[in-house]
Amino acid sequence: MHALRHELLPPSGVDFAIALKLTPSTIPKPLPKHDPSSFLNIVTARSNILRVYEVRHQPLVTPNHVDSERQRRVPIRKGTEPVEGEVEMDHGGEDWVNLGSVKADGQQDAATAPRLYFVKEHAVYGTITGMERVRTISSNEDQLDRLLVSFKDAKIALLEWSESTHDLVTVSIHTYERAPQLAALDSALFQPTLRADPLSRCAALSLPKDSIAILPFYQTQAELDLVEQDLNLARDLPYSPSFILDFIADVDPDLRNVVDFIFLPGYNNPTIAVLSQAEKTWVGRLKEYRDTAKLYIFTLDLLNHTYPVITTVEGLPYDCTSLLPCAASLGGVVILTSNALIHVDQAARRVALPVNGWAARVSDIPVLPLEKDSDLTLEGSHLVFVDEKNFFAIRKDGMIHSVEIVSDGRTVSKLTISPPLAQTTIPSFACQLSNGLLFVGSTVGPSVLLKTYRVDEELPWGTVESASPAAVADTHTAMDIDDEDDLYGESKAAAQAAPNGTVSGGPTSRTRSVIHVTLCDSLPAYGPISDLAFSLSKVGERHIPELVAATGSGHLGGFTLFQRDLPVRVKRKLHVLGGARGIWSFPVRQSHRVNGTSYEKVAHSFASERDTVIISTDANPSPGVSRVATRAAKTELAIPTRVPGTTVGAGPFFQRTAILHIMTNAIRVLEPDGTERQVIKDMDGNMPRAKIKACSICDPFVFILREDETIGLFIGETERGKVRRKDMSPMGEKASRYLAGCFFTDFNGIFELATTDIAPNNDRNATTTLQAVVTAGSQSQWLVLVRPQGVMEIWSLPKLSIVFSCNGISGLDAILTDSYEGPASSLPQDPPRKPQDLDIDQILLTCLGESAPALHLFVFNRFGSLVVYEMLPTPVLPDMTSPPNGRTSFLKVKFSKVATRHFELSRQEETEKTVLAEQKRISRVFVPFVTSPNPSQTLFGVFFTGDRPSWIIGTDKGGVNIFPSGHGVVHAFTACSLWDSKSEFLVYSDEGPSLLEWLPDITLDARLPKRTVPRSRAYSNVVFEPNSLLIVAASSLQARFTSYDEDNNIIWEPDGVGISLPCCDCSTLELISPDGWVTMDGYEFAPNEYVNALECVTLETLSTETGAKEFLAVGTSIDRGEDLAVKGATYVFEVVEVVPDPSSGHQRWYRLKLRVRDDAKGPVTALCGINGYLVSSMGQKVFIRAFDLDERLVGVAFLDVGVYVTSLRSLKNLLLIGDAVKSVWLVAFQEDPYKLVILGKDMRRACITNADFFFTNNELAITTHDEEGVLRLLSYDPTDPDTKGGQHLICSAEFHVHKESRCSLVVARRTKEEPEIPQSRLINGFTDGSLSALTPVDETALKRLHLLQGQLSRSIQHVAGLNPRAYR
């Protein structure tokens, strides 16, 4: 049996992050044209995913309702409203139009806030264990930093940004996996740590056996001269040979068992501080060994390879966990322990701040006095400096504490810690950026970008400095992650200045320096997946399946709901509208005429623009019918105009005062009420031309494409209100052929044109008529064309000069750049050219994105490939003194591929030209739209119609994603705001015309649409109860643990200040309604009892006619301390319906009813059902129990298995048992007599975290995941002699996924050939938040995929130079 594995979702969260100037957009330029607000990059890593973000200054926008209210109150005299495109008259009084001094539409707000924007994402073939910023000798030329990445298999890759490919490229890779230190058997348990010198003189990677690998970098020409290295070679090889430093042999014999190491700033040579523990100890040995940690500070002489020790500090607490380097002006390091914070300077002076009463009990180090009621724990905390003498301690529950280092010069006297300021995310990483920014990464929830800044505030007179609070929060907002909080620093006296500038003799006012911290932005994430279940979500009148995942941890826990398609709900059906061949909705206003010119009466901005006209068309009855519809009543449509014929396109024209209506043989200009103003027949003299098959409308230009691949251009004359043909002679012969084309209006000014025209033209934008000003406004317009030979051209308007030409679009190249060619020749061929698979069928250039929409090129070819390119500025231009091919204008842009999708197409409609075939033809077109799912969000997207309809959405944090719409086929689509909503769409699908909208709170920054249900607690298990359609989940909480002896006497109680009881896991069972996610009922277990397993099983019962019913089975563990054995219990619950409370608003209500509780001598770790019986594990045994009389569990069979059962799965009468040591067993259950028979075992030793059945077409396999992340495919074959009659399971495939899976779901997969026989598809959830699918494939497909995989592995340059085959 063969299978294909692919990831549905990448890992979620942030393990590591680094701030650097990686991309050229972060370097300030003399004349910033593009992205002037970008000032920093943040690179994040999670598992094997590397993501690059930009930090930009985004202007703060006043809320819409505030602006609307403001503008509504502004008095405007009737008749003085501005015309759209109206420009300011000259102040000299001559009343001519002066375009050179047109003012901006509004003043730019100086207030900005940093925001994160997605740039790139890569899945690398290695598990990332660290990242650092380095500068090489090439950084002196381009001012850009380089990225250093370390991997789990002891490799370091040096990456830099390539402007030509707009991507990361590998400079070098350094591998140490063959070093002697990694030959130890326990090296797989070691995770390398990467550190870099602050001045980028070298980098260090930790290795097993107390050693590090040193990679030196060249920084100056003097270093190159010293080693006689060439400068050009140093650009390609910016490093000198690396070497391995053994701490024990080269530094100090007692430097062993390294805990952490860092580079210190402010030294002439690279200096390392190493925290080690020569003698290991634990709580039970503290009487013999305590304060066993040591700190070594030594320098690296990279030329002579000598390492003199500067400082050695002994007697540090055994629970030291990490180091934080202090600024060079202060010196020293801060050591984080579980119970204290310690500052150590170069003179070995120690200052320790305890945070609880345990610090004095576990260590003899002198500490400062313990503050009253101080009982904090620092396990899992992360430290990050805010400035030179203040740092934040972010605890594992997200609480932020400010710690101030009080010093006199470089002598530290004490540390002070503030009460918690706010609660942020649960940290996994924290780093300081520039400009007072902090980035806190999290693996279990969102990562946040914080900003800190100091403000001097006066103290009230008479206030004693020590009496003022050390840290307070602003009272105007609630205390939360997004609040602005204050940290009070040192006070200082400020003299009051007299008006004449001298210092007055009056009393001085006391001020304190206050640190404000505020939330700027966040990266959404949901964290690890604990369990999975499919549920039914009610959307309107129908139920749709959704995948419910228990995600997160602590206060960030909850549920994440995934759906395959972007979920929408139908608001109303509009059968009267039709529109099987197209629907267009747009705003048209009544026009006004001034001096013979038509213009639109512009409304104030608080009256948002709404659509007023809908045009729909159908091909049936022949020759088709077109309708012009308007809104009549609140929800009704009026169709005042019907025209025979099929509409190809429609849109607003003449500044939205008229309708341009294009039919298959004519171009019509309509009044807003639908009456005809002008008709242009598409004729060649008296001969009719081929039918128009596509068009593009961009006021005042019109582009048409006919079936014979010829085109036509028209332009509107605003003074006359008419349309005329436009001369196309600069584009070549009149009979030239084209495949596709579209217009584009550059609203953002990204199209930067370089010209060789040296004629004096100081004011190129000067226009002599008001008509042209009203028409063009301040935007430039362009025409994109594709010729049959695969050449894409961009032409400027209105003069039609070619500014961009590219011949790589037919091959869908990764980067499209200007070839500097002139207009290509595309005359008709004899015999006529036949369509090719790589011919471009559709093309569109439009904006895509969220708060900062960017230009994207959408391409769809006849083979079924959909590709999205992002348009980027490029400084590369040819020699302007001798322009190639007579070109005089060059567009400084390029296109980079960002998304691709392939569709399987049917080709039978190509040869049929009948009327019936025309009516059945499926139209595949790109339709741009703008929508506002909520008032604070605006999305620019594209909808792709056809038999694989898809939404193409771009977001700030997730880039470009393509989502299926869920429809079988969509013939027509348009965004519609006719009913006063900016979030509605008109869709003609296989269900007819309807008005749709997205479900609220949908997040579109991942590959699957998802919704987040925060619950402020994590859940370990979740199941779906099919009878009541409810969710049952087991929450994971913390409770104070008290230890009792056999006589139930308390063994120990807190006996001092800052001493408290420890915490232990506990659980509750919750019955949750997916409609509103309301908890209907629950069951609370004992404070020391937690849930291991939760399953919905079918058991025999006397309460139903069928004799079977679904029950909820729960397996628990009961912790009783170190001296008493762990116990467990099995619970059976039933979901029963009760009379609802009228005040709740629910029509039906349910409760949990406990049927039976069965105590066990050991923990019940796994459960499942088999043939109406309950299967449960207890330690080394597996029991089969019957549910007798609905009140007790009666054992019928048992089996002694491995050491600790981790997984139970059943299929018919087969039982799959996963063990923590002895891998997996396949067992059969027989009922007459009751017996468990072992069929086969996996003989290897592996800790199985998840095992499941996998089947297709009468073939059965077993899939297992172990704790090392290895996926195995096992088979049971008694006919194979190697299996010893089936006693041994055969491993047919082994695949390393490098992450742990603890949950899986088997779903049916029906193929087109055999819809009655379902195949299985296995969905696995992982601890890093990723989702993967395992799909069966036949042998023919497997061989082709295997060849393709090998070809791709050999031919493609992989990120960081890693080997895909070695990774798996």
Side-chain angles (χ1 to χ4, degrees):
M1 186 175 176
H2 310 292
L4 170 68
R5 181 189 180 273
H6 66 279
E7 282 202 346
L8 302 175
L9 280 176
S12 173
V14 173
D15 264 326
F16 305 96
I18 193 68
L20 70 171
K21 291 185 179 295
L22 183 67
T23 60
S25 60
T26 60
I27 303 301
K29 299 178 180 61
L31 293 174
K33 176 66 178 175
H34 305 292
D35 296 332
S37 56
S38 302
F39 66 95
L40 192 66
N41 291 112
I42 292 181
V43 182
T44 66
R46 172 69 161 137
S47 189
N48 67 322
I49 297 295
L50 195 70
R51 296 184 176 96
V52 181
Y53 297 90
E54 271 187 355
V55 184
R56 305 177 190 168
H57 283 304
Q58 179 178 332
L60 293 176
V61 180
T62 312
N64 292 333
H65 65 276
V66 176
D67 280 345
S68 301
E69 183 65 18
R70 229 179 251 165
Q71 295 194 20
R72 189 179 66 82
R73 295 173 184 270
V74 174
I76 298 179
R77 238 172 58 197
K78 188 175 181 181
T80 63
E81 301 90 342
V83 179
E84 182 182 354
E86 180 179 6
V87 293
E88 185 176 327
M89 297 300 175
D90 181 64
H91 291 290
E94 286 92 356
D95 290 342
W96 62 70
V97 179
N98 185 359
L99 288 180
S101 60
V102 175
K103 288 187 177 179
D105 294 336
Q107 295 182 352
Q108 185 178 2
D109 194 350
T112 59
R115 294 287 188 267
L116 292 164
Y117 291 88
F118 175 86
V119 177
K120 269 297 183 188
E121 176 182 290
H122 282 294
V124 299
Y125 297 106
T127 302
I128 299 172
T129 60
M131 294 188 299
E132 286 292 340
R133 176 190 71 91
V134 295
R135 294 181 67 86
T136 64
I137 200 164
S138 299
S139 300
N140 300 327
E141 301 173 3
D142 56 19
Q143 305 303 314
L144 294 177
D145 300 327
R146 270 58 181 173
L147 178 65
L148 205 61
V149 185
S150 66
F151 300 95
K152 187 177 180 180
D153 50 356
K155 293 177 181 175
I156 302 177
L158 179 63
L159 308 176
E160 67 180 7
W161 188 264
S162 171
E163 184 64 15
S164 60
T165 61
H166 191 69
D167 204 350
L168 291 170
V169 295
T170 306
V171 177
S172 62
I173 183 168
H174 310 265
T175 176
Y176 307 96
E177 56 187 344
R178 295 185 181 180
Q181 286 80 3
L182 275 85
L185 296 177
D186 59 348
S187 61
L189 304 177
F190 183 81
Q191 179 165 319
T193 303
L194 181 66
R195 297 286 186 264
D197 178 62
L199 298 179
S200 300
R201 291 167 292 194
C202 65
L205 179 71
S206 63
L207 299 176
K209 296 187 177 181
D210 305 310
S211 57
I212 58 175
I214 302 293
L215 178 63
F217 294 100
Y218 299 124
Q219 293 297 321
T220 62
Q221 183 65 42
E223 296 178 13
L224 298 177
D225 297 339
L226 200 60
V227 296
E228 298 180 356
Q229 179 73 278
D230 183 53
L231 179 61
N232 294 326
L233 183 60
R235 291 192 182 98
D236 298 330
L237 301 175
Y239 51 86
S240 59
S242 63
F243 59 93
I244 293 179
L245 171 62
D246 190 330
F247 288 144
I248 298 175
D250 300 333
V251 181
D252 192 293
D254 291 333
L255 206 169
R256 57 169 61 92
N257 300 325
V258 175
V259 178
D260 193 15
F261 75 100
I262 56 172
F263 282 89
L264 299 181
Y267 288 86
N268 293 328
N269 289 326
T271 303
I272 298 180
V274 181
L275 181 66
S276 64
Q277 194 175 30
E279 185 70 34
K280 290 188 176 182
T281 186
W282 65 293
V283 179
R285 296 184 67 196
L286 289 184
K287 289 184 179 180
E288 292 81 14
Y289 296 98
R290 65 167 58 194
D291 298 336
T292 56
K294 295 183 179 180
L295 178 68
Y296 291 85
I297 300 178
F298 60 92
T299 61
L300 297 177
D301 189 340
L302 299 177
L303 289 178
N304 301 320
H305 287 202
T306 57
Y307 319 103
V309 177
I310 299 176
T311 304
T312 302
V313 182
E314 298 182 354
L316 296 174
Y318 80 100
D319 57 350
C320 296
T321 57
S322 65
L323 299 174
L324 179 69
C326 297
S329 59
L330 180 64
V333 296
V334 175
I335 303 176
L336 173 67
T337 74
S338 301
N339 308 301
L341 294 168
I342 306 172
H343 179 270
V344 181
D345 60 11
Q346 294 91 329
R349 187 183 298 107
R350 300 171 297 179
V351 177
L353 171 67
V355 296
N356 56 43
W358 292 105
R361 299 193 180 193
V362 301
S363 174
D364 294 332
I365 185 174
V367 297
L368 297 170
L370 180 66
E371 295 183 7
K372 187 179 179 181
D373 300 330
S374 178
D375 184 16
L376 305 177
T377 57
L378 296 180
E379 292 99 336
S381 299
H382 288 266
L383 309 180
V384 57
F385 267 99
V386 178
D387 54 28
E388 291 184 354
K389 294 185 179 181
N390 289 271
F391 63 89
F392 283 166
I394 309 175
R395 291 164 50 206
K396 65 179 180 180
D397 58 356
M399 291 297 180
I400 301 177
H401 296 262
S402 173
V403 182
E404 181 183 0
I405 302 176
V406 181
S407 65
D408 182 9
R410 295 173 67 93
T411 303
V412 176
S413 58
K414 67 175 181 177
L415 305 177
T416 61
I417 188 169
S418 73
L421 307 174
Q423 189 174 27
T424 182
T425 187
I426 296 175
S428 64
F429 189 88
C431 63
Q432 183 182 17
L433 316 182
S434 60
N435 303 327
L437 293 176
L438 304 177
F439 183 78
V440 183
S442 175
T443 59
V444 298
S447 302
V448 297
L449 182 66
L450 306 176
K451 183 175 180 59
T452 61
Y453 53 95
R454 282 191 173 273
V455 177
D456 290 337
E457 295 184 357
E458 284 194 16
L459 288 176
W461 289 107
T463 302
V464 182
E465 178 181 345
S466 60
S468 61
V472 297
D474 288 344
T475 57
H476 61 83
T477 54
M479 184 78 139
D480 202 356
I481 186 174
D482 55 352
D483 301 336
E484 185 179 282
D485 308 305
D486 296 345
L487 312 177
Y488 283 89
E490 294 181 351
S491 65
K492 58 185 178 181
Q496 294 179 346
N500 59 3
T502 61
V503 178
S504 64
T508 59
S509 64
R510 295 170 58 95
T511 64
R512 288 180 69 90
S513 180
V514 182
I515 298 179
H516 292 255
V517 57
T518 182
L519 176 71
C520 297
D521 204 359
S522 64
L523 296 177
Y526 49 83
I529 297 176
S530 303
D531 202 5
L532 294 171
F534 271 106
S535 74
L536 293 177
S537 174
K538 190 173 183 181
V539 179
E541 298 298 324
R542 61 176 181 172
H543 289 85
I544 59 175
E546 65 182 358
L547 184 62
V548 180
T551 56
S553 177
H555 68 278
L556 301 177
F559 300 108
T560 305
L561 315 178
F562 299 101
Q563 293 198 354
R564 183 188 61 182
D565 309 321
L566 201 157
V568 296
R569 59 185 175 196
V570 179
K571 299 191 72 173
R572 64 175 63 92
K573 296 287 187 178
L574 299 169
H575 293 291
V576 67
L577 187 62
R581 274 289 163 259
I583 303 175
W584 298 266
S585 176
F586 46 84
V588 179
R589 306 287 183 248
Q590 293 295 327
S591 61
H592 301 263
R593 299 189 71 84
V594 174
N595 297 330
T597 301
S598 297
Y599 67 92
E600 169 197 358
K601 183 175 179 180
V602 178
H604 308 311
S605 60
F606 74 85
S608 300
E609 181 183 89
R610 305 294 183 189
D611 293 349
T612 57
V613 173
I614 298 176
I615 294 181
S616 63
T617 184
D618 290 275
N620 191 21
S622 183
V625 61
S626 300
R627 308 173 186 87
V628 179
T630 58
R631 180 176 171 182
K634 290 184 178 180
T635 60
E636 298 299 325
L637 281 175
I639 303 180
T641 306
R642 285 182 172 86
V643 180
T646 305
T647 301
V648 179
F653 219 64
F654 298 127
Q655 292 76 54
R656 297 192 295 273
T657 61
I659 302 171
L660 191 76
H661 185 210
I662 300 179
M663 306 185 74
T664 55
N665 58 355
I667 298 170
R668 307 169 67 225
V669 180
L670 308 180
E671 299 290 350
D673 57 1
T675 58
E676 192 174 274
R677 180 192 297 181
Q678 181 190 8
V679 178
I680 299 179
K681 294 289 186 182
D682 189 26
M683 307 279 286
D684 185 6
N686 295 325
M687 299 294 294
R689 294 181 183 268
K691 288 185 177 180
I692 301 172
K693 68 173 183 179
C695 69
S696 179
I697 302 171
C698 183
D699 190 10
F701 300 101
V702 182
F703 165 83
I704 61 171
L705 176 65
R706 304 182 183 93
E707 291 182 350
D708 61 356
E709 297 182 347
T710 60
I711 65 171
L713 279 180
F714 300 84
I715 186 170
E717 298 178 345
T718 308
E719 297 95 335
R720 299 174 54 239
K722 299 294 182 67
V723 175
R724 63 172 174 83
R725 294 184 185 272
K726 180 170 177 54
D727 178 36
M728 297 188 298
S729 57
M731 301 172 62
E733 295 292 335
K734 185 177 180 181
S736 297
R737 299 300 196 253
Y738 301 87
L739 296 180
C742 70
F743 286 117
F744 175 72
T745 302
D746 182 19
F747 292 98
N748 300 326
I750 192 173
F751 276 23
E752 185 178 351
L753 199 62
T755 178
T756 60
D757 184 12
I758 58 174
N761 187 13
N762 297 327
D763 193 0
R764 297 182 182 178
N765 293 327
T767 311
T768 56
T769 63
L770 180 62
Q771 173 263 332
V773 177
V774 172
T775 300
S778 59
Q779 298 90 24
S780 57
Q781 293 172 301
W782 312 82
L783 174 63
V784 183
L785 293 173
V786 179
R787 297 184 185 260
Q789 61 266 41
V791 177
M792 182 184 73
E793 300 173 347
I794 300 180
W795 297 77
S796 65
L797 295 172
K799 293 185 178 180
L800 282 181
S801 59
I802 185 169
V803 295
F804 185 91
S805 178
C806 174
N807 53 12
I809 191 170
S810 60
L812 304 178
D813 295 350
I815 298 291
L816 302 180
T817 57
D818 196 348
S819 61
Y820 308 120
E821 299 289 338
S825 175
S826 55
L827 294 175
Q829 300 177 4
D830 189 19
R833 175 181 177 276
K834 292 183 178 181
Q836 306 294 322
D837 281 344
L838 297 182
D839 285 354
I840 303 301
D841 187 59
Q842 295 289 330
I843 194 167
L844 176 68
L845 188 59
T846 188
C847 287
L848 193 70
E850 193 175 349
S851 61
L855 296 177
H856 287 74
L857 178 70
F858 300 83
V859 180
F860 182 74
N861 63 14
R862 291 173 54 83
F863 189 63
S865 297
L866 188 155
V867 179
V868 182
Y869 291 90
E870 182 183 5
M871 179 179 286
L872 302 165
T874 177
V876 180
L877 283 176
D879 185 9
M880 289 299 184
T881 58
S882 58
N885 302 307
R887 287 260 301 269
T888 59
S889 300
F890 301 91
L891 204 56
K892 297 168 66 174
V893 298
K894 62 183 177 184
F895 298 89
S896 174
K897 186 189 296 186
V898 294
T900 183
R901 182 69 57 87
H902 185 77
F903 300 90
E904 185 180 352
L905 304 181
S906 56
R907 301 296 182 87
Q908 69 268 12
E909 72 268 11
E910 293 181 359
T911 56
E912 300 180 14
K913 297 294 183 181
T914 62
V915 175
L916 183 61
E918 175 63 23
Q919 294 178 357
K920 290 184 177 180
R921 181 176 57 87
I922 297 175
S923 176
R924 300 182 182 92
V925 295
F926 294 110
V927 183
F929 65 87
V930 182
T931 184
S932 297
N934 54 69
S936 62
Q937 184 184 32
T938 300
L939 283 174
F940 292 75
V942 171
F943 189 87
F944 184 61
T945 65
D947 53 355
R948 301 289 191 278
S950 302
W951 304 85
I952 308 174
I953 307 294
T955 58
D956 292 341
K957 309 300 190 299
V960 178
N961 289 292
I962 303 175
F963 305 106
S965 73
H967 299 92
V969 61
V970 170
H971 297 283
F973 170 91
T974 183
C976 179
S977 59
L978 190 68
W979 287 275
D980 300 330
S981 174
K982 287 285 188 178
S983 60
E984 295 177 342
F985 308 96
L986 270 176
V987 175
Y988 192 103
S989 63
D990 44 2
E991 300 176 356
S994 53
L995 189 69
L996 309 178
E997 70 174 358
W998 292 348
L999 290 185
D1001 304 324
I1002 289 291
T1003 305
L1004 302 174
D1005 51 20
R1007 297 178 191 170
L1008 294 177
K1010 68 177 187 291
R1011 287 187 295 154
T1012 302
V1013 183
R1015 303 281 293 179
S1016 72
R1017 54 192 177 276
Y1019 292 86
S1020 59
N1021 304 83
V1022 58
V1023 297
F1024 177 68
E1025 209 285 319
N1027 292 330
S1028 58
L1029 304 181
L1030 299 178
I1031 296 289
V1032 183
S1035 62
S1036 180
L1037 306 170
Q1038 292 282 303
R1040 291 291 180 182
F1041 178 78
T1042 305
S1043 184
Y1044 294 85
D1045 58 15
E1046 293 286 359
D1047 299 328
N1048 291 330
N1049 296 318
I1050 297 179
I1051 296 177
W1052 178 85
E1053 289 183 320
D1055 54 357
V1057 178
I1059 304 295
S1060 60
L1061 290 169
C1063 292
C1064 68
D1065 293 328
C1066 66
S1067 296
T1068 61
L1069 200 64
E1070 299 182 22
L1071 184 65
I1072 303 170
S1073 170
D1075 185 15
W1077 293 92
V1078 178
T1079 301
M1080 291 185 165
D1081 196 16
Y1083 183 86
E1084 188 171 346
F1085 297 96
N1088 60 336
E1089 185 176 12
Y1090 54 89
V1091 173
N1092 293 322
L1094 171 63
E1095 296 289 340
C1096 183
V1097 296
T1098 302
L1099 302 178
E1100 295 180 353
T1101 180
L1102 302 176
S1103 60
T1104 62
E1105 295 180 358
T1106 59
K1109 187 179 180 181
E1110 282 79 14
F1111 292 89
L1112 297 170
V1114 182
T1116 65
S1117 291
I1118 302 173
D1119 286 338
R1120 302 190 296 163
E1122 294 178 341
D1123 300 328
L1124 299 177
V1126 178
K1127 290 187 176 182
T1130 303
Y1131 297 80
V1132 176
F1133 291 92
E1134 181 184 2
V1135 178
V1136 296
E1137 187 172 2
V1138 297
V1139 178
D1141 185 357
S1143 61
S1144 66
H1146 289 80
Q1147 297 181 354
R1148 307 181 72 177
W1149 200 259
Y1150 296 88
R1151 297 284 187 192
L1152 286 172
K1153 183 178 181 180
L1154 177 62
R1155 284 294 189 179
V1156 64
R1157 181 184 191 270
D1158 186 73
D1159 291 325
K1161 295 181 181 179
V1164 181
T1165 56
L1167 296 166
C1168 73
I1170 184 170
N1171 295 346
Y1173 298 91
L1174 178 65
V1175 186
S1176 63
S1177 69
M1178 186 197 72
Q1180 302 175 356
K1181 296 182 183 292
V1182 171
F1183 294 93
I1184 307 290
R1185 291 189 172 118
F1187 194 32
D1188 186 30
L1189 302 176
D1190 293 357
E1191 60 183 18
R1192 61 175 181 163
L1193 293 173
V1194 178
V1196 297
F1198 76 94
L1199 180 68
D1200 287 320
V1201 288
V1203 177
Y1204 182 90
V1205 177
T1206 59
S1207 174
L1208 285 174
R1209 287 290 188 272
S1210 64
L1211 179 66
K1212 295 184 177 180
N1213 68 326
L1214 297 177
L1215 187 63
L1216 194 60
I1217 304 171
D1219 191 79
V1221 176
K1222 296 190 175 182
S1223 191
V1224 67
W1225 294 19
L1226 180 63
V1227 178
F1229 171 60
Q1230 74 174 35
E1231 298 187 50
D1232 191 15
Y1234 292 113
K1235 190 178 181 181
L1236 285 170
V1237 181
I1238 300 175
L1239 299 180
K1241 302 178 183 179
D1242 181 19
M1243 301 311 295
R1244 64 175 49 83
R1245 293 176 66 87
C1247 178
I1248 301 300
T1249 59
N1250 182 262
D1252 220 323
F1253 290 103
F1254 187 59
F1255 56 88
T1256 176
N1257 298 333
N1258 297 323
E1259 291 185 72
L1260 178 65
I1262 297 168
T1263 64
T1264 65
H1265 285 82
D1266 64 18
E1267 65 176 357
E1268 295 181 0
V1270 178
L1271 164 66
R1272 294 184 178 91
L1273 210 60
L1274 307 174
S1275 61
Y1276 172 70
D1277 187 4
T1279 62
D1280 192 328
D1282 294 337
T1283 65
K1284 296 183 179 181
Q1287 296 182 24
H1288 296 176
L1289 298 176
I1290 301 175
C1291 180
S1292 58
E1294 204 170 31
F1295 189 84
H1296 211 316
V1297 299
H1298 294 274
K1299 45 198 171 186
E1300 187 177 328
S1301 171
R1302 293 193 174 273
C1303 54
S1304 63
L1305 284 175
V1306 179
V1307 296
R1309 177 178 180 266
R1310 291 176 172 83
T1311 61
K1312 295 180 180 179
E1313 294 78 12
E1314 297 177 272
E1316 291 83 12
I1317 304 176
Q1319 299 178 349
S1320 69
R1321 193 182 190 200
L1322 194 63
I1323 298 177
N1324 283 91
F1326 294 87
T1327 52
D1328 62 355
S1330 59
L1331 275 178
S1332 73
L1334 204 64
T1335 307
V1337 295
D1338 56 28
E1339 189 171 357
T1340 304
L1342 177 80
K1343 290 180 179 179
R1344 298 187 66 179
L1345 289 173
H1346 193 268
L1347 289 173
L1348 176 63
Q1349 173 183 285
Q1351 189 68 25
L1352 292 176
S1353 299
R1354 292 187 297 269
S1355 304
I1356 294 179
Q1357 292 186 359
H1358 305 290
V1359 179
L1362 298 171
N1363 186 354
R1365 188 176 180 85
Y1367 180 60
R1368 298 303 185 186

